[in-house]
Amino acid sequence: MRLHRLDITAFGPFGASHGVDFDALSTAGLFLLHGPTGAGKTSVLDAVCYALYGSVPGARQSGSGQGSTLRSDHAAIGTRTEVRLELTVAGRRLEITRQPPWERPKLRGKGTTVDKAQTWLREYDVTAGAWKDLSRSHQEIGEEITQLLGMSREQFCQVVLLPQGDFARFLRADAEARGKLLGLFDTRRFAEVEKHLAERRRTTEARVREGDAALLADAHRMQQAAGSAMELPELAPGEPGLAEAVLEAAAVARGTARELLAVADGRLTATESAQAAAERDLADTRELDRLQRRFAEARERAARLAERADTHHAAQQRMERGRKAAAVAPALELRDAAETEHRAAATAEARARDRLPQALADAGAAGLATAARRAAEELGGLESARRAERRLTELVEERAALDRQERADDDARQEAETWLADWETTRTALQGRVDAAQEAATRAEQLAVQRDPAQRRLDAARQRDRLTDDVEEARRQALASAEEAVETRGHWLDLKEQRLHGIAAELAANLTDGTPCAVCGATEHPAPARKSAGHVDRDAEERALATHQAADERRVRAERHLGSVREALAAATAEAGDAPTARLAEEAGELEREYTRARAVASGLHTAQEELRRAEHEREERVAARQQAAVRSASRVAGRERLEREQAALEEELARARGTAESVEARAVQLERQAALLTEAADTARVAADTAQRLKDADARLADAAFRAGFDTPADAAAALLDDTAHRELQRRLDAWQSEDAAVRAVLAEADTADAARRPPADLAAAERAAADAGRRLREASSARDAAARCCAELDRLSAQATAAVRRLAPLREEHTRVARLAALAAGTSAENERRMRLESYVLAARLEQVAAAASARLLRMSSGRYTLVHSDDRTGRGRSGLGLHVVDAWTGRERDTATLSGGETFFASLALALGLADVVTDEAGGVRLDTLFIDEGFGSLDDQTLDEVLDVLDALRERDRSVGIVSHVADLRRRIHAQLEVVKGRSGSALRQRGAG
């Protein structure tokens, strides 16, 4: 973690805004934070802690809300308290801004209102080169910072701000007081190890008891799998020779099963060979049947082809005449096109001449073209007159537009004056609406802060009422479960005792004359014990045990449920207090209704502001419109006179150009129509003459093409021509006949097909019946072999399981012994634990040993090689053992208590201890690198030589770009350390002055 910049406003003794550039201070590695007592040196460190964790170090907190205590008494009324910190942690450059709650004057009216606390978190995006927002949630930001730093606020204050006074007391404290500071280390997991070992001890004990029962159950399952092939002696769990008897019987059964499997394998091989021969016969018969049917079908297809031979020959001749006619087709198409084109040209010429005057109806193409040119020349002379006529129309429209503008400007001017007369009344009303909405918004913000706590109390009260009944029900169920567990345990123990009394009868049931007794070894059994009435066997005892275990599990679940319900009730009661739920619901409802009313009024703020803005904008527009209307009215007088003069001149010119027509445009229309009709008639006459000549040429080419193709007339060629559809259909029929003929010839020429036709007909049904019988016999043999294989596999599996169970029994007992020994050792109850230390206490002592070792490396340099710190496992007074701390004096070679150190020696010893703790806690937190450290006071107790040694050690912390800030008012440090941040105290509040290393 490296600090870059700190900005504070109205914080602690700083009434104005001040900034600290840590990048500049850190250039020299060591920098000094100094100033007179009470100026606010520690407040700079408080600001760093507040920016990261939202609160200051524990000794300087005041209640749950810090807004009033953090705010500077020297700050201006309108200035809000704010702390902004820019830092790099875990490779990410972040900016944290925090504003505590602030009581400010109301925007409207008298009194004050409270603004809630605000927090922002931003991250610098290197790629985009800009800051991006991450969150504005207090909880999310707190979790993110704690996760990145890897330590809580208390750990941060211990390892980054390094409070020397705490460690000086640590050196003189007893073991219990040292344990509180070492609580920074999380040792809960070692307490969980102690609990886990105790549970493991109980678990292994139960598993050892269950081992014999599991082995006997495996033996019964093997007997079920083997059937009559296995005889299992009836031996109770725990009896000698049970494992050997089970394994021996399993081996005999496995041998018998394998012999049966070998017989089944031989039978299966024979049936597989017979089934394969039947399948080959069936395949040969099917192939013969297929070839005989193929030959018969080919003979039938050949007969059908012979019947259609004449039709095929006629189609071939029709296709040949069509190919010859195709050579004449282009000439036919050209002649038809020429005839169509000539007919259309003649029709167009007739229509064009019908529209001409009688005098020009019979004129030739040249005469019509000359008349058209004369009409076009006369039309060109009217273009100037047509422009004058259009301009006259525009002048009339311009004068009408001037009249309309005059009337519109008069109306606009009158409307603007009427609206502006009511402006002050309108503005006052709109401003009143804005003020009311702003006041309601402020009230809604205040109520919003109160809503969530009130609702949480109400929810907790409802949960408290509900859980009260749940606790009673859970308690009743737990009591009933406990009684049931006690009752079932007593029943099981009674049955067990009865079975032990009659165990001789169970053993005697397996005695055989000549076979040694499992208890005494005798081969004669003159008076074996007999089972009495009401004898309890092993199954009855096991059922009673299972019933008891089930009841005990229900008891444990009921007790856990009762504990969880009680915890939930305590949490709900702590949140809701003793207030009745009805009263809390009434208060929350009234608060919600008041909040809704305030929100409803405040929701109109934006609308009221927009209406006021639009009204002001409209006023400006109406004033401007009134002025512009007056200017336009004055400019229209000169324009009207110019238009009147131009209109008179144009009317005189048009009178000359119109002649007898109503207008110049009418005269132009007459000439345009006449020229168009003459031009069209001349063009159609030329086209008709050209198409007639092309038709004559096409007739000559068609006759020549038909003669060369072998046709007497063009009509014969046209009749023989085939279109695309007829040609494709005829070709398809010819191709189909050829394909069918070739296929039939190929089949009849096949040697194997012809040979099959000469053989007797195939008997397919008989071959299929023989193959089915062979398959049935194969399935029966395969089923018998699979059954034998499954029996062998099941016996192998159960035998291996039984063997594994036998092997597990001895290691389970060893594991139980080992786990029980470890559990006692971790709990501190074992005789081997000489100091009676629990595991959690032992780990805490190991942490102190690590801290002492890390501190000694620096203490040796500070004390010129004289002192080292060592920890001791000895019990001190009534304190815990393992938390003793001694100092070794190299000058005397003796080890003494740290309380005997002098004031200066205590300072650098506590400084070394604080730095050592910082190193160990940093490693504990995941190795987060601390590039910026602060050391608070204590340097005044050192002489010059010791001060030099301490500063050398601190200067060594700069390795790998680390910086150290020293907080002190010692004047000699200002001469030794050039990079300084000075806190200047004044009547109007403190100020900061920064000086670099240069």
Side-chain angles (χ1 to χ4, degrees):
M1 180 200 72
R2 173 175 292 280
L3 305 182
H4 298 294
R5 182 170 182 83
L6 175 68
D7 293 300
I8 52 178
T9 301
F11 183 86
F14 304 100
S17 296
H18 300 279
V20 180
D21 187 353
F22 285 110
D23 285 336
L25 291 174
S26 302
T27 302
L30 282 176
F31 62 90
L32 178 66
L33 174 59
H34 68 93
T37 301
K41 299 186 296 297
T42 306
S43 295
V44 176
L45 307 185
D46 290 347
V48 174
C49 185
Y50 178 70
L52 292 173
Y53 294 96
S55 60
V56 296
R60 294 186 286 278
Q61 293 191 69
S62 176
S64 58
Q66 299 181 1
S68 59
T69 59
L70 297 179
R71 180 169 176 78
S72 175
D73 296 334
H74 303 284
I77 295 177
T79 302
R80 181 163 187 174
T81 302
E82 179 180 279
V83 176
R84 179 182 291 110
L85 178 65
E86 185 179 339
L87 74 159
T88 295
V89 58
R92 299 170 59 185
R93 186 148 185 159
L94 304 175
E95 181 190 81
I96 312 170
T97 303
R98 293 189 186 269
Q99 295 177 347
W102 181 36
E103 185 176 359
R104 61 169 177 80
K106 292 183 177 179
L107 298 177
R108 297 291 178 184
K110 299 180 179 180
T112 60
T113 184
V114 177
D115 285 348
K116 61 183 180 180
Q118 300 286 335
T119 306
W120 295 270
L121 177 63
R122 301 196 303 168
E123 182 175 1
Y124 187 75
D125 190 339
V126 179
T127 303
W131 292 93
K132 63 178 182 181
D133 295 331
L134 295 182
S135 177
R136 295 192 63 174
S137 168
H138 300 292
Q139 182 177 0
E140 289 181 359
I141 296 174
E143 292 176 354
E144 179 75 9
I145 295 302
T146 303
Q147 182 177 2
L148 290 175
L149 292 177
M151 61 184 75
S152 64
R153 177 178 62 85
E154 291 75 12
Q155 291 175 314
F156 178 83
C157 295
Q158 291 287 352
V159 303
V160 177
L161 303 186
L162 299 183
Q164 295 305 301
D166 290 351
F167 287 94
R169 287 190 296 272
F170 183 85
L171 288 172
R172 296 180 172 87
D174 58 13
E176 290 298 326
R178 287 172 181 159
K180 294 180 181 179
L181 179 60
L182 293 175
L184 291 170
F185 298 105
D186 185 8
T187 58
R188 289 175 297 178
R189 61 185 183 276
F190 299 101
E192 292 296 325
V193 170
E194 298 176 16
K195 182 179 178 182
H196 174 70
L197 287 174
E199 293 178 352
R200 282 284 306 280
R201 177 178 58 190
R202 291 190 292 270
T203 301
T204 54
E205 183 179 1
R207 290 172 62 191
V208 168
R209 289 196 305 266
E210 295 170 358
D212 286 343
L215 178 61
L216 192 57
D218 289 339
H220 282 293
R221 283 192 288 271
M222 282 189 288
Q223 189 178 38
Q224 292 175 356
S228 60
M230 177 178 180
E231 293 183 1
L232 187 66
E234 293 186 4
L235 296 176
E239 292 186 15
L242 174 63
E244 292 78 4
V246 170
L247 295 180
E248 182 180 357
V252 173
R254 288 167 60 195
T256 303
R258 293 192 181 280
E259 292 176 358
L260 294 176
L261 177 60
V263 173
D265 283 336
R267 183 183 175 191
L268 178 61
T269 301
T271 54
E272 285 177 346
S273 300
Q275 194 268 345
E279 288 293 335
R280 287 194 298 272
D281 292 342
L282 177 60
D284 294 341
T285 304
R286 284 174 175 169
E287 179 63 16
L288 177 61
D289 180 68
R290 184 186 69 81
L291 292 174
Q292 288 175 346
R293 287 187 285 105
R294 177 177 174 84
F295 186 82
E297 291 173 358
R299 294 291 296 272
E300 293 176 2
R301 290 164 62 188
R304 289 194 294 272
L305 285 175
E307 293 173 358
R308 301 200 308 269
D310 294 340
T311 304
H312 175 64
H313 181 67
Q316 287 179 327
Q317 292 179 347
R318 180 74 176 93
M319 178 63 76
E320 181 63 26
R321 285 179 58 81
R323 281 196 292 269
K324 293 179 179 180
V328 188
L332 284 169
E333 294 175 358
L334 290 175
R335 197 273 174 189
D336 292 342
E339 183 179 7
T340 301
E341 185 179 5
H342 175 63
R343 189 180 298 110
T347 301
E349 180 185 10
R351 284 198 301 267
R353 287 185 180 275
D354 288 343
R355 291 193 293 270
L356 293 177
Q358 188 62 35
L360 298 173
D362 297 330
L368 293 173
T370 301
R373 284 195 300 274
R374 287 198 298 268
E377 291 172 358
E378 184 178 355
L379 177 62
L382 292 178
E383 185 60 31
S384 175
R386 294 172 72 178
R387 288 196 298 272
E389 189 174 45
R390 288 195 296 270
R391 176 56 183 160
L392 180 60
T393 303
E394 294 173 357
L395 290 176
V396 174
E397 293 177 355
E398 288 182 9
R399 291 192 61 184
L402 288 177
D403 294 338
R404 288 195 299 272
Q405 291 175 4
E406 184 69 30
R407 290 191 298 271
D409 286 343
D410 291 342
D411 294 343
R413 186 167 53 251
Q414 182 64 33
E415 182 183 0
E417 290 174 353
T418 302
W419 191 92
L420 290 172
D422 298 332
W423 163 244
E424 287 300 327
T425 303
T426 302
R427 187 193 64 78
T428 302
L430 291 176
Q431 186 63 47
R433 289 177 57 192
V434 172
D435 295 342
Q438 288 178 338
E439 187 70 25
T442 303
R443 177 59 178 162
E445 292 179 0
Q446 297 172 349
L447 294 173
V449 177
Q450 305 173 20
R451 285 172 65 229
D452 290 343
Q455 187 61 42
R456 286 195 300 271
R457 285 195 66 193
L458 175 58
D459 295 341
R462 290 170 176 168
Q463 188 177 12
R464 176 199 62 196
D465 297 343
R466 184 175 66 257
L467 291 175
T468 300
D469 298 334
D470 294 346
V471 166
E472 183 60 28
E473 176 63 20
R475 188 192 65 77
R476 185 188 63 77
Q477 293 180 358
L479 181 60
S481 300
E483 292 175 353
E484 182 186 8
V486 172
E487 182 180 351
T488 55
R489 176 177 175 82
H491 178 65
W492 166 57
L493 293 177
D494 291 342
L495 293 181
K496 184 175 183 179
E497 183 177 2
Q498 293 177 26
R499 181 172 178 244
L500 290 175
H501 289 162
I503 195 67
E506 289 188 19
L507 295 175
N510 297 320
L511 293 178
T512 303
D513 289 338
T515 301
C517 175
V519 177
C520 65
T523 58
E524 296 182 358
H525 318 293
R530 296 288 184 267
K531 294 182 179 178
S532 62
H535 176 74
V536 178
D537 57 8
R538 184 179 60 227
D539 292 338
E541 179 188 351
E542 289 179 350
R543 287 196 299 272
L545 175 59
T547 303
H548 165 61
Q549 291 174 341
D552 193 55
E553 290 178 358
R554 288 193 293 273
R555 176 191 62 80
V556 172
R557 289 197 298 270
E559 290 177 353
R560 289 176 180 172
H561 176 63
L562 176 60
S564 63
V565 174
R566 282 175 173 170
E567 291 177 1
L569 176 60
T573 304
E575 177 72 20
D578 298 328
T581 304
R583 179 164 62 83
L584 293 177
E586 182 180 357
E587 293 175 356
E590 179 60 28
L591 184 62
E592 185 65 28
R593 288 190 293 273
E594 187 176 356
Y595 172 73
T596 302
R597 289 193 295 270
R599 284 290 304 273
V601 177
S603 64
L605 175 61
H606 179 71
T607 303
Q609 290 174 336
E610 285 296 315
E611 290 183 4
L612 178 59
R613 184 186 61 78
R614 287 196 297 269
E616 291 175 346
H617 182 65
E618 184 176 359
R619 174 181 175 276
E620 296 174 357
E621 289 181 343
R622 290 184 179 273
V623 171
R626 183 176 60 182
Q627 295 173 350
Q628 292 172 1
V631 173
R632 289 194 299 270
S633 179
S635 65
R636 277 192 293 271
V637 176
R640 191 185 302 277
E641 294 176 353
R642 177 182 58 76
L643 293 177
E644 290 176 352
R645 291 193 299 271
E646 186 177 359
Q647 181 178 359
L650 291 175
E651 288 176 348
E652 181 180 357
E653 179 182 353
L654 290 176
R656 294 192 301 268
R658 280 194 300 268
T660 59
E662 294 180 359
S663 64
V664 174
E665 187 62 29
R667 178 58 180 161
V669 171
Q670 293 175 357
L671 292 174
E672 287 178 355
R673 177 173 176 75
Q674 182 179 354
L677 292 175
L678 291 171
T679 301
E680 182 183 2
D683 292 341
T684 55
R686 285 194 300 269
V687 171
D690 293 341
T691 55
Q693 182 60 40
R694 285 198 292 273
L695 177 59
K696 183 179 179 180
D697 296 340
D699 286 335
R701 286 194 295 270
L702 175 59
D704 183 61
F707 177 76
R708 286 198 303 271
F711 293 99
D712 295 335
T713 64
D716 294 339
L721 189 64
L722 294 172
D723 58 15
D724 291 341
T725 302
H727 183 274
R728 285 196 299 270
E729 177 61 23
L730 186 59
Q731 186 65 49
R732 183 190 64 76
R733 288 161 52 194
L734 293 173
D735 293 342
W737 197 94
Q738 292 289 347
S739 298
E740 179 69 5
D741 182 65
V744 169
R745 292 178 183 277
V747 172
L748 294 177
E750 291 176 354
D752 54 349
T753 304
D755 181 64
R758 290 191 293 271
R759 295 173 63 183
D763 190 354
L764 183 60
E768 289 177 345
R769 285 193 301 272
D773 292 340
R776 177 180 52 78
R777 289 191 295 272
L778 176 62
R779 288 191 297 273
E780 292 174 353
S782 179
S783 298
R785 193 270 176 196
D786 291 343
R790 284 195 300 272
C791 180
C792 289
E794 183 67 8
L795 287 175
D796 289 343
R797 183 185 67 82
L798 292 174
S799 179
Q801 184 173 325
T803 303
V806 171
R807 293 173 180 171
R808 282 198 303 270
L809 289 177
L812 281 177
R813 291 188 178 89
E814 294 178 3
E815 180 185 4
H816 172 61
T817 302
R818 183 173 61 256
V819 170
R821 177 171 172 267
L822 286 175
L825 190 64
T829 59
S830 172
E832 296 176 290
N833 192 335
E834 297 177 358
R835 301 185 183 277
R836 301 295 178 179
M837 291 176 61
R838 293 174 52 236
L839 177 62
E840 185 178 9
S841 300
Y842 176 77
V843 172
L844 205 59
R847 288 288 187 266
L848 178 59
E849 184 176 7
Q850 291 177 321
V851 171
S856 294
R858 295 187 175 93
L859 182 59
L860 279 172
R861 292 188 58 187
M862 294 182 187
S863 62
S864 299
R866 180 178 180 181
Y867 293 118
T868 55
L869 289 173
V870 295
H871 97 289
S872 171
D873 287 334
D874 295 336
R875 186 186 300 269
T876 57
R878 294 182 301 170
R880 71 180 74 183
S881 61
L883 297 182
L885 192 64
H886 294 164
V887 61
V888 177
D889 190 343
W891 290 5
T892 64
R894 299 182 60 186
E895 180 178 314
R896 53 191 173 97
D897 193 270
T898 53
T900 63
L901 295 172
S902 65
E905 292 171 340
T906 298
F907 167 72
F908 60 69
S910 64
L911 175 59
L913 192 65
L915 295 174
L917 180 63
D919 291 341
V920 177
V921 171
T922 298
D923 294 338
E924 178 82 6
V928 176
R929 177 175 172 80
L930 302 177
D931 294 319
T932 305
L933 298 176
F934 294 93
I935 301 175
D936 191 1
E937 290 298 350
F939 291 87
S941 61
L942 305 179
D943 55 49
D944 290 345
Q945 181 179 355
T946 304
L947 181 59
D948 288 337
E949 296 290 346
V950 171
L951 291 180
D952 287 343
V953 172
L954 295 179
D955 190 58
L957 296 177
R958 293 187 304 166
E959 297 176 1
R960 297 173 62 187
D961 201 23
R962 176 181 287 183
S963 61
V964 179
I966 297 176
V967 183
S968 178
H969 60 273
V970 176
D972 192 38
L973 289 175
R974 279 174 270 173
R975 176 180 58 81
R976 298 171 181 258
I977 302 175
H978 300 290
Q980 299 178 10
L981 179 64
E982 182 181 5
V983 184
V984 182
K985 182 168 61 175
R987 295 180 63 86
S988 59
S990 298
L992 293 174
R993 296 176 183 172
Q994 184 170 332
R995 182 162 65 90

